[in-house]
Amino acid sequence: MKIVVPEIEFSDDCGFNSNIDIFKRKDFGERLANLIENSGGNPVIALDSGWGEGKSTFIKMWRGYLANNRETEIKSIYFDAFENDYQKDPFLTLASEIYQLISDKDEQTKSDFKDKATKAFKSLARGGMKVAVKMGTAGIVDGSIVDEAEKEISNLLANQVDDLVKERFEHAEKDKLALKEFREYLSKFAHEANTGKPIVFIIDELDRCKPDFALELLEQVKHLFSVKGITFLLVTNRTQLEESIKERYGQGINPTNYLHKFINVWLSMPRSSSEHNDHGYQFLQYALKAMRDENESAVNKEAIMVLSDLVRCYQPSFREIERVLSYFSIINNMRGSLPYLSNEQYIIAIVCYLKACKPNALKVVNEKLDYMTFIQESGLKKFTDDGLFPSLEHLDKLIRFDLGDDDIRRRMLNDNEINISRIRTPENMIIKVNSWLSEISSS
């Protein structure tokens, strides 16, 4: 069994192929495309989803659909913000992505685009400080921005400051005109590049960027690049992006209001958790199949059953499910084709889940795990309350038995909570299974 889930292989024209569209998100992709096609103007749309929920995979399929599977083609540009956050200023990076739409043979358009972009960039860079833009956008929430400006100015000699201010005043009108002309040219270019149909500029991984780069990028998208004919789609985790705003501007800022200045529409990536259409369960089954070697049959089926119920109950992210299965694969491969005992499989399942999703629950104190602390840290009380998952109710009994003292174990046996014929696992099985993973894996 493979240790990691193999990456899904995409072709540029695959679109929402049924073999890779695990969660049947084609309908959502169609609605999103229709929204962009019919929205008019220059909206900035944000697609919100949690970490590891398949945003980037959806976008790859959606781009193929836009280019090859619609009656009206929509051109798209893809920009991975995280891969580019080493840049000090996102202007040239964003401009160069749009520049790629120009045909290699169209030398005149190439020349015009570079001319307008160069003049706009010089206007932005003149003076070497961006304080005015940030203050105008976010407001002075605390003294940090002013302090930063004062620090920059204090590092210059008096005559340098005079020259800087003088140049700024002398070029003020010229700079405004250059930025205005860039926006006008960009709108005209977008119209001609896609014969009047919208171009969608996708910015992915925005929430993973350094806060300064992410917010500078937002500001430039709204003030310089958001023109008629170009729709920006920001693919991000809203919660994390709001944390970046607070980190940059302080706890006094309202991040929701701040984002309203840049983003017109918020959408959420659909994730179903209904009994008959649970995306987490579907991904678990898909991943297990992909991780098995050719002609390899499933062993430890009870562990897989418990993992399935844990995923249904707690809705971990797809990325977390991948990590759970990596741990499961390590233990599964220790025995090859030989299955573990029934109760061992239950314990293996919960340890793999906690190792990936709630590692603090597995911290051993004085070579012991306390049941109440374990349940509280792991958040596992839920499955003892709702009664929807019988396998998890049995798991709870196994946990109490494994972590209990002799009196608790004796009482559980006397009350028939545990069937003695089924208990063939050693004591401290949770600690033992966790040690298997700790000794063979690095995390």
Side-chain angles (χ1 to χ4, degrees):
M1 185 177 184
K2 300 178 184 67
I3 298 296
V4 298
V5 181
E7 288 190 13
I8 298 175
E9 296 184 1
F10 293 92
S11 61
D12 292 339
D13 61 350
C14 70
F16 292 99
N17 185 295
S18 59
N19 293 325
I20 58 176
D21 184 17
I22 305 168
F23 310 120
K24 305 297 183 288
R25 284 171 168 166
K26 181 180 179 180
D27 288 346
F28 176 72
E30 289 177 343
R31 293 195 300 272
L32 179 58
N34 291 335
L35 170 65
I36 289 171
E37 184 178 11
N38 300 311
S39 61
N42 56 325
V44 177
I45 300 170
L47 180 59
D48 174 39
S49 185
W51 176 80
E53 292 289 355
K55 298 187 294 295
S56 296
T57 300
F58 168 79
I59 288 299
K60 290 177 183 176
M61 291 189 290
W62 189 62
R63 291 192 71 204
Y65 164 77
L66 293 180
N68 302 284
N69 303 118
R70 295 188 85 243
E71 184 176 343
T72 303
E73 177 189 353
I74 296 179
K75 286 188 177 180
S76 66
I77 300 168
Y78 179 82
F79 178 73
D80 188 321
F82 180 62
E83 285 187 356
N84 290 275
D85 76 345
Y86 63 89
Q87 307 275 0
K88 290 185 178 180
D89 190 302
F91 177 85
L92 291 179
T93 310
L94 294 176
S96 66
E97 295 292 336
I98 299 174
Y99 180 79
Q100 300 305 314
L101 295 177
I102 305 173
S103 168
D104 290 337
K105 299 178 181 179
D106 193 349
E107 295 297 336
Q108 185 59 53
T109 301
K110 281 185 172 183
S111 177
D112 292 344
F113 188 97
K114 285 190 284 189
D115 178 63
K116 298 296 183 184
T118 300
K119 289 178 180 177
F121 179 72
K122 286 181 179 179
S123 298
L124 287 174
R126 203 177 311 279
M129 292 184 294
K130 307 167 191 172
V131 177
V133 176
K134 292 179 180 176
M135 288 170 61
T137 303
I140 303 176
V141 179
D142 54 33
S144 61
I145 297 173
V146 174
D147 291 344
E148 183 180 318
E150 289 177 345
K151 183 178 179 181
E152 288 192 48
I153 293 172
S154 67
N155 289 332
L156 301 174
L157 299 175
N159 61 336
Q160 290 178 307
V161 174
D162 290 342
D163 291 343
L164 185 152
V165 174
K166 181 180 177 181
E167 184 183 15
R168 193 70 176 176
F169 278 123
E170 288 176 351
H171 289 85
E173 289 302 318
K174 186 178 179 181
D175 290 344
K176 286 181 183 179
L177 182 61
L179 295 176
K180 182 183 179 201
E181 288 180 348
F182 174 75
R183 286 177 56 83
E184 290 173 349
Y185 175 80
L186 193 58
S187 182
K188 177 174 175 288
F189 169 82
H191 179 83
E192 294 174 351
N194 206 25
T195 60
K197 297 185 288 292
I199 295 170
V200 57
F201 196 131
I202 303 162
I203 298 180
D204 197 6
E205 305 283 15
L206 187 61
D207 50 292
R208 295 180 65 195
C209 295
K210 291 181 289 189
D212 284 355
F213 182 82
L215 302 183
E216 185 69 29
L217 191 150
L218 276 177
E219 290 163 355
Q220 293 202 12
V221 162
K222 187 65 176 178
H223 297 304
L224 299 174
F225 290 92
S226 181
V227 299
K228 186 175 181 180
I230 300 180
T231 297
F232 277 87
L233 179 65
L234 312 178
V235 186
T236 188
N237 179 341
R238 183 172 185 169
T239 300
Q240 186 57 50
L241 187 58
E242 290 182 349
E243 288 300 316
S244 294
I245 293 167
K246 287 190 284 188
E247 181 177 336
R248 178 63 184 87
Y249 292 118
Q251 296 298 315
I253 194 172
N254 184 320
T256 301
N257 290 343
Y258 177 89
L259 289 174
H260 283 330
K261 298 178 182 181
F262 306 104
I263 297 169
N264 302 109
V265 178
W266 279 97
L267 302 175
S268 296
M269 179 78 76
R271 172 168 175 169
S272 173
S273 58
S274 64
E275 181 179 357
H276 302 292
N277 184 29
D278 187 293
H279 285 177
Y281 173 77
Q282 291 169 9
F283 181 72
L284 178 77
Q285 298 304 315
Y286 165 84
L288 280 167
K289 183 177 180 181
M291 292 172 74
R292 291 191 192 108
D293 297 324
E294 188 176 356
N295 300 323
E296 180 184 358
S297 59
V299 294
N300 300 310
K301 293 182 179 179
E302 287 182 278
I304 293 172
M305 174 191 67
V306 177
L307 286 174
S308 298
D309 284 348
L310 286 167
V311 166
R312 284 194 183 102
C313 186
Y314 294 103
Q315 296 294 307
S317 72
F318 305 135
R319 193 73 51 77
E320 287 174 324
I321 292 172
E322 288 183 348
R323 292 211 308 268
V324 170
L325 291 180
S326 290
Y327 289 128
F328 175 67
S329 175
I330 290 171
I331 293 180
N332 186 79
N333 291 346
M334 288 179 179
R335 293 282 294 268
S337 60
L338 296 175
Y340 289 88
L341 299 174
S342 173
N343 291 310
E344 288 178 325
Q345 292 189 44
Y346 275 75
I347 297 299
I348 286 168
I350 188 59
V351 171
C352 290
Y353 170 78
L354 293 176
K355 187 80 171 174
C357 304
K358 304 279 187 179
N360 285 341
L362 295 171
K363 287 187 176 180
V364 176
V365 178
N366 296 326
E367 299 184 354
K368 289 185 178 181
L369 285 171
D370 175 70
Y371 172 75
M372 293 307 298
T373 303
F374 180 85
I375 292 296
Q376 183 177 358
E377 288 287 339
S378 62
L380 295 178
K381 191 175 187 302
K382 181 178 179 181
F383 65 61
T384 65
D385 294 339
D386 54 29
L388 297 177
F389 303 97
S391 71
L392 301 188
E393 293 179 19
H394 178 62
L395 176 61
D396 178 56
K397 293 176 183 178
L398 288 175
I399 292 171
R400 281 192 287 132
F401 189 89
D402 188 65
L403 300 183
D405 57 24
D406 290 341
D407 288 340
I408 290 175
R409 292 179 179 179
R410 192 179 303 109
R411 185 165 60 251
M412 291 182 71
L413 291 171
N414 291 338
D415 294 343
N416 293 319
E417 287 190 72
I418 292 290
N419 188 332
I420 187 64
S421 63
R422 297 183 66 192
I423 297 298
R424 298 171 58 194
T425 55
E427 296 181 4
N428 299 319
M429 188 63 190
I430 293 174
I431 294 175
K432 187 175 184 65
V433 172
N434 186 43
S435 72
W436 295 345
L437 293 172
S438 300
E439 291 166 6
I440 201 167
S441 63
S442 60
S443 59

